[in-house]
Amino acid sequence: MDLFLILNPGTLLITVKCCSDQPKVRCKMTMQSILITCSPFSPVEHNSQLGNSSRTTRILCWIMTGPKNLESRTKHIRETWAKRCNKVLYMSSVETDFPTVKLNVSEGRENLYWKTIRAFQYIHQHHLDEADWFVKADDDTFMVIENLRYTLSSLDPEKPFYLGRRFTPFIRQGYMSGGAGYVLSKEALRRFVKGFDSGNCTHFSTLEDMALGKCMETMKVEPADSRDVKGRQTFHPYPPDHYLVRQPPRPRPWYLLYDHYAPVEGPGCCSDFVISFHYIYGVQLYVLEYLTYHLRPYGYKYRFNPDERIILKTTTEST
Amino acid sequence: MLSEGGYFMKGMAMGGIFCLLLSLLGSFRPGVESDTDSHHHHHHVQASGRDELRRFSDTEMQKLRNQVQVSCIIMVQPKILAYWATALDTWSKHCDKAVFYTSESTKALEAHDLNEKDDWTRLRKALKHAYDNAGELRWFFVAQPTTFAIIENLKYLVLAKDPNEPFYLGNAMKSGELEFVSYDSGIVLSYEALKRLVRVFQDEDKCPERGHALWKLSEDKQLATCLKYTGVFAENGEDSHGKGLFNSKSVERLMADSMQANPNDVVAGCCSDVAVTFNGMSPNQMQVMMFGVYRLRPYGHDFHDLLEFKAPEGSDND
């Protein structure tokens, strides 16, 4: 989104125009005394191509699930946020018409890392060219794909990056919480698979997120900072009430102990453009879907508008 | 002799019991509204649709937007201090004016102490006080802090309505012949409705200050009764698609109901995009609602609403 000042010599007239280099995005210019803002003007039916750069941000989502959760959890994900991924795969131990992909791994907590390894290998083998970023989520994770796309749009998928809620312990460069969901760039995925092919990465632990973090470190994949421009978190390993409720100043509660970046309790915890919450299933999933995509205060001017720019005006003309 | 006397006594006893039953049933007036009745709305007020609003010029819209100002009348009690504190920190900040009226003073929080234990009498006093101090405000929203409200959506509902006409809006329910607005999902009164109400407060026959000793009606039904005498009737507040805006249940409850009733279209079948109130949420859930309503959104979506409401000054959770 660009704001142009066009000086017309001889008339001392300065024209202000909002323009965009995105093909489907028109600009809307609004005026409030000396504040001129350009914002994306997109139809209510989601413009999923929106981004700050002309690079594509195709996202492939894979959901870690199993036969006993399809009806109670995964079905509702399929009805809600999964539709916003460019491609979605449901990884299980059994093939079904859901549709689920059969990984040669049994169900159970102790097999989560095996499932993760096999899932990424499967994706690398069959779907590598269909996306730029590869997201893993649990069947009790709620994700806002538009916000993930926004965060990823300034990163190069050909570089080795991975994002999520960064935890500190066990791994020197830290690792990303499994429950909050994490994203690998295309290059990161290549390196993960190569790690296992070469034996540099092994199944040394059943703790999926920590073990993956170790492989990322070994293969020199960089953990990126997923927080917004105000330092607020976007990925969350617990439901919203664990973070948003105001608290008196206190030592970190147990669920914030692993955080790499100093956590904030209360309204400053979380970005407006949240990417995920965890332990969300059943009614709660639909509640979050409603709050994110439907319920709104009519006409409300949101406080946080990261695309705004301030310029002094003399005379203006809206286009 | 004895047997005849026995029959007579039995007859008398049965007759007596029968008479007693008949008189009890006759005087018994259940205040229970049947669920099927409560959703059969004769009177409803809908928010203006896009086409209707587009007919206004920009200047007219600006005028409407500046004129729609809401005075919130929040009835609190120390025994629900957590809700009181939460209302203060959350939705009440979006009222143009918010006054808290309490049943008794407490050192923890400040409010107008009406020094009145009776719920109905206290509500009357609060309404009169709000009317006397209305200033420029022309719309009044009465609620308890156990209700969560989105004031911008209330403003949207009444935007093109004339406050000099009598409006009495909310979740309209029916109890026998009486249509009333349920207290637990908030009550909206226009200036004219409140004016008439305050006037009928003077009439001890039509609108007594202390409720009847034996059959005490709840405040919302008392209110409806008094307003009815002034020619003001309860109307159901709805969006432009006819969906109710004032909810006596929480988002979670409504969504659970929708999962049962509309399993293939849970969210669309649930609640309005511009809902005004929800009830039955905990103080912590209300804090989460502030985030969910005023901040959480997908990047790039624009609803192209036809007017703008600014965020309140000095607030960090919206």
Side-chain angles (χ1 to χ4, degrees), chain A residues 6-50:
Chain A
I6 301 154
L7 192 64
N8 295 335
T11 57
L12 287 177
L13 185 78
I14 299 178
T15 320
V16 181
K17 266 171 97 89
C18 272
C19 302
S20 169
D21 55 351
Q22 298 292 304
K24 279 196 193 151
V25 180
R26 283 139 55 214
C27 298
K28 160 186 91 190
M29 187 164 71
T30 49
M31 218 79 72
Q32 276 168 291
S33 60
I34 62 160
L35 177 69
I36 300 168
T37 68
C38 280
S39 42
F41 183 85
S42 53
V44 179
E45 268 62 54
H46 337 272
N47 183 347
S48 58
Q49 296 310 313
L50 208 57

Side-chain angles (χ1 to χ4, degrees), chain A residues 28-250:
Chain A
K28 160 186 91 190
M29 187 164 71
T30 49
M31 218 79 72
Q32 276 168 291
S33 60
I34 62 160
L35 177 69
I36 300 168
T37 68
C38 280
S39 42
F41 183 85
S42 53
V44 179
E45 268 62 54
H46 337 272
N47 183 347
S48 58
Q49 296 310 313
L50 208 57
N52 281 342
S53 65
S54 53
R55 278 183 238 111
T56 54
T57 319
R58 295 170 305 163
I59 297 173
L60 181 149
C61 305
W62 73 267
I63 317 289
M64 172 106 79
T65 188
K68 69 174 168 61
N69 284 346
L70 291 183
E71 266 301 299
S72 56
R73 295 184 178 190
T74 326
K75 184 174 87 166
H76 305 301
I77 291 179
R78 190 183 57 185
E79 292 300 305
T80 55
W81 65 264
K83 294 191 270 204
R84 300 170 190 119
C85 307
N86 293 89
K87 179 143 189 88
V88 60
L89 296 167
Y90 301 96
M91 301 295 189
S92 175
S93 56
V94 180
E95 185 180 331
T96 65
D97 287 335
F98 186 84
T100 52
V101 173
K102 179 188 161 120
L103 302 171
N104 212 354
V105 182
S106 317
E107 297 300 328
R109 278 190 91 80
E110 64 284 6
N111 292 322
L112 289 177
Y113 193 38
W114 275 122
K115 257 178 138 166
T116 305
I117 296 163
R118 294 291 176 247
F120 277 124
Q121 287 171 330
Y122 175 89
I123 290 166
H124 181 268
Q125 188 177 1
H126 297 106
H127 300 284
L128 186 64
D129 295 325
E130 290 171 55
D132 309 296
W133 297 90
F134 302 84
V135 184
K136 174 259 173 183
D138 284 346
D139 55 20
D140 57 354
T141 306
F142 172 75
M143 296 199 99
V144 186
I145 299 300
E146 292 88 340
N147 293 343
L148 177 58
R149 200 167 265 122
Y150 174 58
T151 298
L152 295 176
S153 63
S154 57
L155 297 171
D156 184 355
E158 295 299 334
K159 294 226 164 68
F161 278 127
Y162 91 123
L163 290 92
R165 178 76 170 229
R166 196 164 171 188
F167 280 171
T168 314
F170 316 125
I171 314 290
R172 201 167 21 93
Q173 75 170 15
Y175 64 98
M176 304 305 177
S177 155
Y182 49 76
V183 198
L184 272 63
S185 67
K186 200 199 282 271
E187 179 56 26
L189 173 58
R190 286 193 195 108
R191 291 192 187 195
F192 181 76
V193 172
K194 192 154 51 155
F196 277 89
D197 285 344
S198 62
N200 281 317
C201 294
T202 60
H203 183 279
F204 73 97
S205 165
T206 56
L207 294 176
E208 163 244 336
D209 47 9
M210 188 271 290
L212 185 128
K214 181 71 188 163
C215 184
M216 293 287 101
E217 184 178 76
T218 305
M219 301 307 292
K220 300 204 173 7
V221 173
E222 205 182 307
D225 185 354
S226 57
R227 297 175 303 166
D228 72 10
V229 293
K230 289 192 152 193
R232 302 178 303 195
Q233 294 277 9
T234 52
F235 290 83
H236 305 277
Y238 290 97
D241 61 358
H242 280 59
Y243 305 98
L244 286 160
V245 176
R246 290 194 201 275
Q247 302 290 350
R250 60 178 189 170

Side-chain angles (χ1 to χ4, degrees), chain B residues 199-210:
Chain B
R199 201 184 307 139
V200 82
F201 279 164
Q202 320 268 20
D203 190 328
E204 264 297 304
D205 293 317
K206 295 201 178 111
C207 193
E209 199 180 22
R210 312 248 156 218

Side-chain angles (χ1 to χ4, degrees), chain B residues 73-77 80 101 114 118-124 126-127 141-148 168-173 180-188 217-224 246-248 277-279:
Chain B
I73 298 160
I74 306 169
M75 307 298 293
V76 297
Q77 299 182 51
I80 48 167
Y101 296 93
L114 293 169
D118 183 82
D119 292 336
W120 167 236
T121 320
R122 195 166 69 251
L123 181 60
R124 287 170 58 118
L127 289 166
F141 176 64
V142 193
Q144 292 154 307
T146 40
T147 302
F148 183 89
Y168 163 43
L169 316 169
N171 183 8
M173 313 207 62
F180 68 100
V181 168
S182 179
Y183 199 2
D184 63 8
S185 39
I187 304 170
V188 182
L217 280 182
S218 57
E219 306 97 284
D220 44 12
K221 289 185 194 130
Q222 299 248 37
L223 194 72
F246 297 83
N247 298 290
S248 292
T277 60
F278 294 99
N279 189 60

